[in-house]
Amino acid sequence: MRVPLSWLREFVEVPEDATPEDVLASLVSVGFEEEDVHRFEVTGPVVVGQVLSFEPEPQSNGKTIRWCQVDVGEEHGGVRGIVCGAGNFFAGDKVVVTLPGSVLPGPFPIAARKTYGHVSDGMIASAKELGLGTDHSGILRLVDLGIDAPVGTDAITLLGLDDVAVEINVTPDRGYALSLRGVAREYSHSTGAAFRDPGLRDAAEVRPGEGFPLAVVDDAPIRGRVGASEFVVRVVRDVDASRPTPVWMVTRLALAGIRSLGVLIDITNYVMLELGNPIHGYDLDRLSGGITVRRAASGEKLETLDGQVRELHPEDLLITDETGPIGLAGVMGGARTEMTAATTDVLVEAAIFDTVSVARTARRHKLPSEASRRFERGVDPAIPFVAAQRVVDLLVQYAGGTPDGVGGALHSALPQTVIALPAGFVGGLVGVDYSADEISGALELIGCEVRPTASGWDVVPPTWRPDLTDWWTLAEEVARVTGYDRIPSVLPVAPSGRGWTPAQRGRRRVSDALAAAGFVETPSFPFTTEAQNDLHGSASGTHLPSVLLANPLAGQSPALRRSLVPGLLQTAHRNVARGLVDLSLFESGAVFLPEAGVRYGTPTVPPLAVRPDAATLAQLDESIPPQRRRVGLLVTGAVSPKQPGRAAEAAGLSDVLDAVRVIAAAAGTRIDVAQAERAALHPGRTGSLSVAGREIGYVGELLPDVARDADLPGRVTVAELDLDALLEVAGERVVVASLSGLPAATQDVSLVVPAGVSAAEVSAALTDGAGTLLESVRLVDDYRGAGVPDDAKSLTFALRFRAADRTLTAAEATEAKLAGVAVAEERFGATIRD
C-alpha cells in the first residue's frame, strides 16, 4: 500500500518536519513491513511558462517541429527559445517548462542544447515526462488541468510533485490497512497523534434515495454466506466527463500507483484508496432495468473492462441487469456499461461481497485487481453508505454533476461478535505483565468495545477488523499496540520426552553423512511423467500405476513420482547446462506408490477454516497413496579434477558404492550388493542392495540412451534406497564398535565357483562359516581365463580375523577360513584355487 504523505496528513496529525523514514518507522512499530519510498524524482527549476509564439519548421525526416518563444518570467530569464516536437498547444497556452539544470524522472537532466538548427533553452514537458501519467501524445497544457497560474510559478509545488509516498506491506489479515483511513488510524496508534475518521458521517446524510430496483439472488452461496451482504447505489446526473481531474488528485493517485483515467474513474479510485471500499461506476444510460446480484448460469459469457471475453463459472458472482451480466462482482466491471467520455448520468455502486467468492473468481479468471485485493481481505461493512456518498460529493464538485434522489440499498445487520477474554490470558500468552487498564486501553484504542466482567472482559471487535475472532488475535493486538519491544527474549524450555523420533534421527544421520562425504543435497518437486515412473520405478520398465494430479503446476509433469531418479536427472541437467559438470548429488524424499485399481483422492474438498471431524480425517488418510521415504544418489563427471601430474579421475560405480557404504555406516548396518538387472541401467553394471536378506534398493550406471535423453553427457551412475526399510532393519540405535588393542590376522583365499554365482553370495557363505572371528571380508579380484574352467570364475577375498580376548594364532585364523570355505563348497561347490 502506497501512502502519499499529503493525503495522510488530512486524517492524522503528521509533523510537518517528519521525513518518510520517520513515518515508516512509526508504522513498522505497529507491525507493518517497510517496502519503499516513492517520489516524483523531479528537481527544478521547473516553472510555469506561456507560449508567446511559435514557428512550424518541417524537417527532412518528415517531422515538423515548432520553434517556440516561451515567457518563463523575468526571474528565470524572461523569454526563452525552445524547440518542441508536439503539436497540441496554441499561442497563449500556459505550459510546464523544465529549464536547464532541472532533472526529470529517469534520470533525464535538462540542458541547453543545439537541435534542429536552434539552441533549445529548456524543454516543454508532457505529463509522462513529469511522472504524472502515461500520456506522451503531447505536452501538458495547464488549461486542461483547470490551472491558471502566473508565469514563473514553481510548477513542482503547483502540481504537487514535491509530495512523497511511503509504501508498506499489508498482510492478508489486515485488509483495513489498504486504505488511507486504515493507515492513518495505525499511525495514530503508534504516535498518539490525533486521528480524524473519514468514515464517520451522519446516517441521515449518507442514506441513499429509493426507486432503483435491486436484488440479491444467491441460490448457491459458498459456505452458506450470501454473495453480497451490502449493496448501495446512488445516481448522479449531468456529469461532464471532459472536465480535468484536479491536479492534486492526479498527483496522489500517481504516487499511490494508479494512473489517471479521466475524472469519473479517478474519483471512484480515489475513494477506494481513501476509505478502502472499492467503488464501481456505471453509465446509467447503458443499463437496462435494475441490478441483480446472482451466480453465473452455465454457458454465460462476459466481456470485462480489459477487453477479454470470459467463460463464466457457476461459482462466479455477477452483477447483472435485464440483459445479462455486466460485471464480475468485486473483481472487474463489464465493458458494456463502462463510463466513457460520452457518459452524462452515473450510477454509483458501493457493496460488500463475500471474500471467498471474490477470491475464487479472481484466481479462476487470473484477474487480480485493486478491488479483488480488498474484498478478498474483507471490507468494513459499515463503510459502503459513506463511500457512495463521498463519490457523489466529488462528482458534484469536480464533474459538475447533480445528485438525483433515485437510489437504493440492500443491507444486513452488522456483525456483533462478543469475545469473552479471560483476565490472565493475554499476559500468560505474551509473557508480559500487562495491567488491566493497559489491556482494555489497547483494545479500545483499535476500536473495540470493551465491557468489564467478573472474569475479564467482553470484547466486541470493530466492524473493520474481521480478523479479530478469538483470545489469541486479541492478545496479539495488545502486544502490537503496547509495543513488541516489551516482550522478553526468553528461550523456551522444551517439554520432556519431545524431540526427533528414531526415524527422524536416522534420516538426519544419513543426510549428514552424505553431505560430509562431499554430496550436495538437491530437493526437487515431486512431479514427473508416467513414462519416467515406468522407466525408473520398476526393474523391468513395465507400466506402473501413477497418481495423476487434477491441477498440476506444469502440464508436462502431471504425475507424482515413484522414484527420486527423475528429479536428480533434471537437477543434473540444469547444472550441466550452466557449466557445472562434476556432480555428486543426493535427495531424501517421499515417493508415491499407488496400488493398481485403487482410486485416490476425495470427491469433495472439506471446507477450509473448519476442523475436520474424525470420520473426515480418516477418509482423507485413506485417500492418500502409500508413501515411502527414499534416498537417491547421482554422480557424473569427475571425482578428482585434472591437475599437474595427474589426469582427471572419472566418477563411476565404485564412487556410488562407497556412498552406499557411507549410508550403511550412518544407519548402523551393512548393505550387501549383488548383481541385478534394471531396464534403465547398464547390464553388468547394475546391482541390487539388501540388508539382512531384504532388498532395499539398487545401484548402477544409466544406459547411454537414458543419459542422452536426459541431456547428460558421459557416464551417469545412480542409486536409490528405501530409507524407511533400511532404518527399520537397522533398528533405532546405532552401536559404535569398540576399538580393539589386539592385532588382526589377515589371510587371502581364492575360490573357483560357477560363473553364475555372485560374489555377494560367496562372501555371505564365508561370513557364515568363519564365525565371530571373521572381522571383515573384501573382494579383491574376479579372474576368468587360463587355469579356470570356461563356465567358472575365480574370486579372491581378503579376510581379516580378530579375537576380542586374545591374539589369534595363524592356525586359528586358518581354521576359521577353512570353515568358511566349507560352507561355500556346500552351497556352491566352491574349491580353493591352487
Side-chain angles (χ1 to χ4, degrees):
M1 175 69 187
R2 295 185 180 187
V3 184
L5 295 191
S6 65
W7 203 351
L8 184 66
R9 287 188 170 98
E10 291 189 4
F11 308 126
V12 66
E13 294 180 359
V14 180
E16 288 299 324
D17 60 349
T19 66
E21 290 71 24
D22 294 335
V23 175
L24 282 171
S26 298
L27 295 175
V28 167
S29 70
V30 286
F32 292 105
E33 293 181 12
E34 173 183 341
E35 289 289 334
D36 204 352
V37 175
H38 298 273
R39 297 179 172 87
F40 282 103
E41 307 296 343
V42 177
T43 59
V46 181
V47 300
V48 174
Q50 186 172 30
V51 179
L52 301 179
S53 64
F54 60 82
E55 293 293 335
E57 296 183 358
Q59 303 298 311
S60 59
N61 59 5
K63 180 178 181 181
T64 298
I65 62 98
R66 290 180 173 184
W67 172 237
C68 307
Q69 300 301 310
V70 183
D71 183 6
V72 295
E74 291 299 327
E75 65 273 29
H76 298 294
V79 178
R80 294 182 181 239
I82 298 176
V83 173
C84 184
N88 68 318
F89 60 93
F90 307 93
D93 278 347
K94 289 184 177 179
V95 294
V96 177
V97 180
T98 58
L99 298 176
S102 60
V103 179
L104 297 181
F108 179 42
I110 302 300
R113 64 189 183 94
K114 187 172 183 179
T115 180
Y116 294 107
H118 301 281
V119 175
S120 184
D121 200 13
M123 186 181 79
I124 306 175
S126 69
K128 181 178 181 180
E129 288 163 340
L130 294 170
L132 285 174
T134 59
D135 185 10
H136 196 50
S137 60
I139 59 102
L140 181 65
R141 301 169 66 228
L142 295 184
V143 67
D144 292 338
L145 299 179
I147 296 175
D148 184 14
V151 169
T153 300
D154 181 6
I156 291 179
T157 302
L158 178 69
L159 299 178
L161 301 178
D162 54 352
D163 200 359
V164 61
V166 296
E167 183 176 2
I168 55 175
N169 180 36
V170 177
T171 53
D173 60 326
R174 301 175 72 179
Y176 67 93
L178 290 173
S179 67
L180 268 294
R181 179 194 185 209
V183 175
R185 179 183 282 110
E186 290 296 327
Y187 182 84
S188 173
H189 296 167
S190 173
T191 63
F195 168 65
R196 183 185 71 81
D197 189 353
L200 293 179
R201 297 183 66 167
D202 185 79
E205 180 186 7
V206 300
R207 185 177 298 115
E210 299 178 348
F212 191 88
L214 292 177
V216 176
V217 181
D218 191 354
D219 297 327
I222 298 176
R223 300 182 190 170
R225 296 199 293 250
V226 176
S229 57
E230 307 280 330
F231 203 93
V232 181
V233 295
R234 306 193 66 143
V235 173
V236 180
R237 298 192 183 275
D238 300 324
V239 298
D240 182 359
S242 66
R243 284 197 179 188
T245 302
V247 67
W248 57 265
M249 185 180 291
V250 173
T251 301
R252 289 180 176 180
L253 289 173
L255 280 174
I258 295 180
R259 62 190 177 97
S260 176
L261 295 172
V263 64
L264 304 183
I265 298 174
D266 288 349
I267 286 173
T268 61
N269 285 335
Y270 187 84
V271 174
M272 174 188 70
L273 294 174
E274 184 173 86
L275 299 177
N277 193 163
I279 305 292
H280 191 69
Y282 301 91
D283 187 326
L284 185 60
D285 294 333
R286 302 171 74 177
L287 278 172
S288 298
I291 283 180
T292 299
V293 182
R294 61 171 174 83
R295 302 287 171 179
S298 178
E300 280 191 301
K301 297 181 180 181
L302 170 67
E303 182 182 355
T304 46
L305 289 173
D306 58 359
Q308 299 294 316
V309 177
R310 302 181 184 276
E311 298 276 352
L312 301 178
H313 186 277
E315 272 192 357
D316 289 336
L317 190 66
L318 303 180
I319 310 297
T320 67
D321 65 3
E322 291 180 354
T323 64
I326 59 173
L328 286 171
V331 179
M332 184 174 285
R336 182 166 59 83
T337 56
E338 74 171 311
M339 297 183 294
T340 67
T343 297
T344 57
D345 298 335
V346 174
L347 180 74
V348 178
E349 167 211 297
I352 300 295
F353 297 115
D354 174 50
T355 57
V356 176
S357 293
V358 171
R360 290 187 180 180
T361 295
R363 284 158 179 73
R364 184 180 300 115
H365 295 284
K366 297 180 175 59
L367 194 59
S369 64
E370 290 289 338
S372 67
R373 186 182 178 205
R374 286 162 174 80
F375 282 124
E376 288 173 8
R377 290 159 172 78
V379 173
D380 183 1
I383 207 66
F385 286 81
V386 176
Q389 182 62 51
R390 175 67 165 150
V391 173
V392 170
D393 294 342
L394 293 175
L395 287 174
V396 170
Q397 183 175 0
Y398 296 109
T402 302
D404 193 304
V406 174
L410 299 172
H411 58 90
S412 54
L414 296 179
Q416 289 286 319
T417 303
V418 179
I419 303 172
L421 181 64
F425 177 77
V426 175
L429 179 67
V430 180
V432 176
D433 187 17
Y434 297 112
S435 67
D437 289 342
E438 282 183 304
I439 294 174
S440 60
L443 295 176
E444 288 172 347
L445 183 65
I446 65 172
C448 293
E449 179 185 340
V450 182
R451 298 188 294 266
T453 64
S455 58
W457 302 270
D458 282 343
V459 181
V460 179
T463 55
W464 60 84
R465 294 300 302 271
D467 58 307
L468 302 182
T469 57
D470 50 32
W471 300 350
W472 291 266
T473 51
L474 293 178
E476 181 182 357
E477 288 301 292
V478 173
R480 184 176 68 86
V481 172
T482 58
Y484 291 130
D485 56 329
R486 293 182 60 184
I487 301 175
S489 298
V490 179
L491 187 65
V493 178
S496 61
R498 302 291 178 89
W500 288 337
T501 64
Q504 289 172 327
R505 287 196 296 270
R507 293 196 292 267
R508 181 60 63 92
R509 285 198 308 272
V510 168
S511 294
D512 287 347
L514 286 171
F519 280 73
V520 177
E521 186 171 12
T522 57
S524 62
F525 286 122
F527 312 125
T528 186
T529 65
E530 289 187 274
Q532 288 290 304
N533 274 341
D534 294 342
L535 179 62
H536 298 286
S538 70
S540 61
T542 56
H543 178 68
L544 294 173
S546 295
V547 177
L548 298 180
L549 301 173
N551 187 24
L553 286 177
Q556 64 270 28
S557 300
L560 291 176
R561 65 189 179 192
R562 293 186 66 101
S563 168
L564 300 180
V565 172
L568 288 169
L569 293 175
Q570 289 182 358
T571 302
H573 166 65
R574 284 194 295 271
N575 280 271
V576 169
R578 289 160 177 77
L580 303 174
V581 297
D582 301 329
L583 303 172
S584 297
L585 310 177
F586 83 94
E587 178 178 1
S588 175
V591 296
F592 306 85
L593 309 173
E595 299 173 5
V598 179
R599 182 178 178 82
Y600 296 97
T602 56
T604 58
V605 178
L608 302 177
V610 178
R611 179 179 176 82
D613 57 24
T616 302
L617 289 173
Q619 182 185 26
L620 291 173
D621 287 338
E622 292 175 359
S623 70
I624 300 173
Q627 301 177 44
R628 301 288 292 180
R629 188 169 292 272
R630 293 184 180 178
V631 58
L633 309 170
L634 180 148
V635 299
T636 187
V639 291
S640 177
K642 181 181 179 181
Q643 50 194 300
R646 181 177 179 181
E649 182 181 348
L653 187 58
S654 61
D655 300 292
V656 178
L657 286 172
D658 285 342
V660 169
R661 297 184 186 100
V662 168
I663 294 173
T669 187
R670 190 186 78 177
I671 296 177
D672 296 318
V673 184
Q675 196 168 48
E677 292 184 359
R678 289 188 70 87
L681 302 182
H682 200 296
R685 299 176 188 170
T686 303
S688 65
L689 305 175
S690 60
V691 175
R694 178 178 176 181
E695 186 172 340
I696 62 164
Y698 63 88
V699 61
E701 183 182 310
L702 285 183
L703 286 168
D705 288 346
V706 175
R708 194 161 37 249
D709 289 343
D711 295 323
L712 294 175
R715 292 186 176 182
V716 180
T717 309
V718 298
E720 187 170 18
L721 295 82
D722 187 331
L723 195 51
D724 288 340
L726 174 64
L727 297 174
E728 288 168 9
V729 175
E732 295 183 0
R733 300 182 63 186
V734 176
V735 179
V736 179
S738 59
L739 297 177
S740 175
L742 298 172
T746 60
Q747 294 192 15
D748 292 345
V749 63
S750 296
L751 299 177
V752 178
V753 296
V757 177
S758 69
E761 292 173 310
V762 178
S763 175
L766 290 171
T767 301
D768 293 343
T772 58
L773 293 181
L774 181 61
E775 187 176 80
S776 74
V777 54
R778 180 169 56 89
L779 178 68
V780 297
D781 188 35
D782 182 337
Y783 174 75
R784 309 177 195 212
V788 176
D790 292 340
D791 58 349
K793 59 184 176 182
S794 172
L795 301 177
T796 300
F797 295 90
L799 310 177
R800 185 170 68 232
F801 301 92
R802 196 192 311 263
D805 57 349
R806 66 189 187 280
T807 299
L808 287 178
T809 65
E812 288 176 309
T814 300
E815 182 181 355
K817 177 185 71 173
L818 293 176
V821 171
V823 173
E825 181 182 7
E826 179 183 348
R827 293 181 183 177
F828 313 114
T831 59
I832 297 178
R833 180 184 171 201
D834 297 332

